[in-house]
Amino acid sequence: FFSPRVMAFFNDVNVVLTEMVSNQSIIYWAVEKDLSDVNSLYGESENKVTRNPVQVFCRILLDSVEPITGQFGTEQKRKIEAYVQKDRLTELGLVTRQGDYIQFDGQMFEIVECSVPQFVFGMPETKIGITIKANSTREDIFDPYKDEANKEIIHDSENPY
């Protein structure tokens, strides 16, 4: 009833619809854990090393802005959900992972979950997409456009503190 040939056709139609009709995309920043300077105590890295960014066409659901008030003030949080074609990720050489970053509409998001949503026609061999869920990040957490090497340090010797 549902042959591999029909599955390939179904997948190709989904790719065309995602890329040409919806015309939404994210910029994917894959973090290289082995090259980043990881803190041995906390397991976090202050300076993350990433691969070159890749534009990935997908369907996007962006939540509204949620203000969160904490001890040190108020910040704006957003959540994003992106549905990406699995075959397109394979062509680009990407494997989605928690901790990687995506950029949409000039805002950076950290991936918190990657999952395969459902099977087509209830058949396990028909996994065609991946759902990426991410939360917005502050600029001081991850800013790929920050130029650390050429940053000028301004010293004020009269007022050191």
Side-chain angles (χ1 to χ4, degrees), residues 120-134:
V120 178
F121 298 116
M123 300 173 71
E125 63 272 9
T126 59
K127 301 172 186 172
I128 63 168
I130 295 173
T131 301
I132 299 171
K133 294 182 181 180

Side-chain angles (χ1 to χ4, degrees), residues 153-161:
I153 300 173
I154 300 172
H155 297 282
D156 187 1
S157 59
E158 294 181 17
N159 301 310
Y161 301 105

Side-chain angles (χ1 to χ4, degrees), residues 51-70:
R51 293 184 191 171
N52 289 332
V54 178
Q55 182 180 18
V56 180
F57 286 92
C58 56
R59 291 184 307 203
I60 297 170
L61 175 65
L62 185 65
D63 286 352
S64 60
V65 176
E66 177 184 339
I68 297 175
T69 304

